[in-house]
């Protein structure tokens, strides 16, 4: 017996079609690469990390716990717009860990071998992509954006074959749950209202208990879920994050960012930025993220139709009303966010113009998205040559006039800017350098970088420009799916 986790299982009370029990195959030589001590402590997870061999064994799933019930989840999803039945092809749930505050977290191994949903995949993962998920998910967390977390990465001691031989690895992912829009699509595809209703009730219980007694609970969930997604996407846009593969199976009901595959942060401001090698049409580009979110929410709404009303036309009408309201809600949320980035207190009819002229200037001048806002917070930075043009000076004059009008408060304005404009984001070239050192066994750059990413809004601490600036453009950087 152990007391590493405080496991319970509620997901397995759902109808059997939602999962397949799956034993974990033991790996040959588990070796601990990185462990998130802070996260473990905050969730009361007791892995004996001073014993690295023992910890690596545990984090490969090789331990006994009478409450552990390992399984892979079934789901479906629209991948680049095409509907497919999917499931955890390379992930296995260990259990639901309940922290001492009563919060429930899925503990899942990613890269732990094939499952009935693996299709043609090998069920495995390589070191680089798992460390990449670790870095970016932790960065997103410290940027104050809802996300799944990363507890650890181990090497399995086994080879994984992609274009070349790579080191096999397993990431331990922690999520409020792994219920996805795709899980609802899977439930709807069973064409049995009892199955759909069971998932609905489970989801409300786990993530939306506030609406439990609501009269129109199905529409209420749709509204609440839309708000969570609007909040998430607004935050991604705020920090220049491009998820890269916003398929419906990669959108959680909890509103957490999930599945860090071909994601990356934008450098110079270009709304068409995309990094994923397979996203030829730019479906998941920076500027399309809010539109795709709405598209995905509409797919979610479709799954709820039989529950909303037995009269299909009435159900469609009610769901459509919610979906149609999304662009306006998003616009308001985005405007508020951009105003905070600019330290604008109160409202002015000119705000939207001020924001869009800055963005067009940034696009025309290939200005770095992150650094421009950092420079606006630190006026001494505005003596750089990029800010010398008349166009920028004119904009700045209008901006300052507006900023100092209304109920201007210097401290409030600065606070807003500092809370909303990161100084540090995981720049692509640093991520790549850190991963390549880690692949060769040198973990120092990785650990140093992770430490720096814990304070992205710290405008005061002196951090070397190596971490701050990247003058390279977005273009040459390519990211890959399913690696
Ligand atoms: P993703 O692009 O990571 O969202 O993955 C899409 C689907 O492919 C999911 O159902 C994954 O479980 C599955 N998948 C990705 N990589 C592998 C792999 N190496 N082996 C088996 N299934 C995989
Ligand atoms: Mg996925």
């Amino acid at each position: 017996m152990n007391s590493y986790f405080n496991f319970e299982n509620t997901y397995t009370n759902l109808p059997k079609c939602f999962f397949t029990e799956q034993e974990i195959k033991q790996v040959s030589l588990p070796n601990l690469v990185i462990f998130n001590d802070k996260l473990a402590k905050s969730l009361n997870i007791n892995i004996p990390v001073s014993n690295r061999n023992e910890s690596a064994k545990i984090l490969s799933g090789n331990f006994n716990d009478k409450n552990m019930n390992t399984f892979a989840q079934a789901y479906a999803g629209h991948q680049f717009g095409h509907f497919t039945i999917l499931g955890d092809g390379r992930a296995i749930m260990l259990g639901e860990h309940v922290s001492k505050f009563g919060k429930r977290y899925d503990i899942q191994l990613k890269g732990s071998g094939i499952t009935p949903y693996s299709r043609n995949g090998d069920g495995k993962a390589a070191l680089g992509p798992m460390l990449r998920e670790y870095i970016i998910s932790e960065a997103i967390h410290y940027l104050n954006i809802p996300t799944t977390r990363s507890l650890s990465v181990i090497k399995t001691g086994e080879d994984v074959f992609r274009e070349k031989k790579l080191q096999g690895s397993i990431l331990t992912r922690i999520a409020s749950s792994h219920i996805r829009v795709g899980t609802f699509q899977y439930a709807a595809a069973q064409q049995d209202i009892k199955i759909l209703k069971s998932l609905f009730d489970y989801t409300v219980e786990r993530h939306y208990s506030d609406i439990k007694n609501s009269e129109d609970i199905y529409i209420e969930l749709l509204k609440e879920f839309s708000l969570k997604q609007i909040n998430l996407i607004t935050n991604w846009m705020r920090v220049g994050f491009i998820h890269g593969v916003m398929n419906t199976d990669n959108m959680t009901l909890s509103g957490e960012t999930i599945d860090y595959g071909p994601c990356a942060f934008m450098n110079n401001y270009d709304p068409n930025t995309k990094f994923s090698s397979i996203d030829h049409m730019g479906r998941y580009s920076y500027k399309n993220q809010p539109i795709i979110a709405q598209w995905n929410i509409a797919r979610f709404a479709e799954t709820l139709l039989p529950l909303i009303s037995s009269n299909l036309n009435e159900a469609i009408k009610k769901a459509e009303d919610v979906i149609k309201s999304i662009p306006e809600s998003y616009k308001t949320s985005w405007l508020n966010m951009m105003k905070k980035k600019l330290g604008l207190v109160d409202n002015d009819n000119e705000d939207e113009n001020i924001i869009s002229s800055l963005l067009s200037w940034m696009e025309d001048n290939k200005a770095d998205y992150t650094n421009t806002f950092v420079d606006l917070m630190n006026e001494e930075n505005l003596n750089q040559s990029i800010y010398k043009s008349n166009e920028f000076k004119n904009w700045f004059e209008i901006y300052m006039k507006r900023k100092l009008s209304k109920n201007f408060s210097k401290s409030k304005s600065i606070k807003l800017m500092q809370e909303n404009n990161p100084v540090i984001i995981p720049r692509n070239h640093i991520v790549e350098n850190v991963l390549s050192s880690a692949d060769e066994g040198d973990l120092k750059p990785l650990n140093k970088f992770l430490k720096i990413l814990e304070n992205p809004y710290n405008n005061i601490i002196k951090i070397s420009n190596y971490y701050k600036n990247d003058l390279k453009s977005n273009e040459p950087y390519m990211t890959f799916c399913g690696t």
Side-chain angles (χ1 to χ4, degrees), residues 75 180 249-250 259:
Y75 50 85
R180 307 148 188 265
D249 53 302
N250 293 339
D259 266 353

Side-chain angles (χ1 to χ4, degrees), residues 251-355:
M251 186 181 257
T252 58
L253 265 288
S254 66
E256 288 176 345
T257 312
I258 197 171
D259 266 353
Y260 291 85
C263 59
F265 285 71
M266 175 166 70
N267 289 321
N268 57 296
Y269 179 74
D270 176 356
N272 291 314
T273 307
K274 64 173 184 82
F275 294 109
S276 170
S277 63
I278 58 166
D279 190 2
H280 304 296
M281 308 294 283
R283 179 181 170 91
Y284 299 137
S285 67
Y286 178 76
K287 72 165 187 221
N288 280 350
Q289 297 189 125
I291 300 158
I292 290 294
Q294 185 190 11
W295 193 87
N296 288 351
I297 298 168
R299 303 290 77 73
F300 174 62
E302 281 165 4
T303 70
L304 299 183
L305 292 176
L307 296 172
I308 294 170
S309 170
S310 52
N311 176 333
L312 185 61
N313 286 334
E314 192 183 304
I316 292 175
K317 166 84 182 63
K318 282 178 139 181
E320 262 180 7
D321 286 346
V322 181
I323 302 297
K324 279 186 191 152
S325 72
I326 292 174
E328 203 179 321
S329 305
Y330 171 73
K331 177 93 183 279
T332 309
S333 164
W334 178 84
L335 265 177
N336 282 334
M337 173 276 284
M338 290 306 283
K339 278 173 52 193
K340 288 181 191 158
K341 280 178 83 69
L342 286 170
L344 299 175
V345 198
D346 244 328
N347 293 316
D348 189 291
N349 289 340
E350 276 309 298
D351 288 348
E352 194 176 344
N353 276 341
I354 291 176
I355 293 162

Side-chain angles (χ1 to χ4, degrees), residues 76 199 257 357 361 401 482:
L199 179 65
T257 312
S357 358
W361 175 84
K401 211 167 138 200

Side-chain angles (χ1 to χ4, degrees), residues 103-129:
K103 271 203 82 176
R104 184 176 299 274
Y105 299 91
D106 279 7
I107 310 291
Q108 193 192 59
L109 301 184
K110 187 167 170 181
S112 51
I114 54 172
T115 75
Y117 311 108
S118 296
R119 298 182 291 175
N120 297 319
D122 59 3
K124 294 184 178 174
L127 180 63

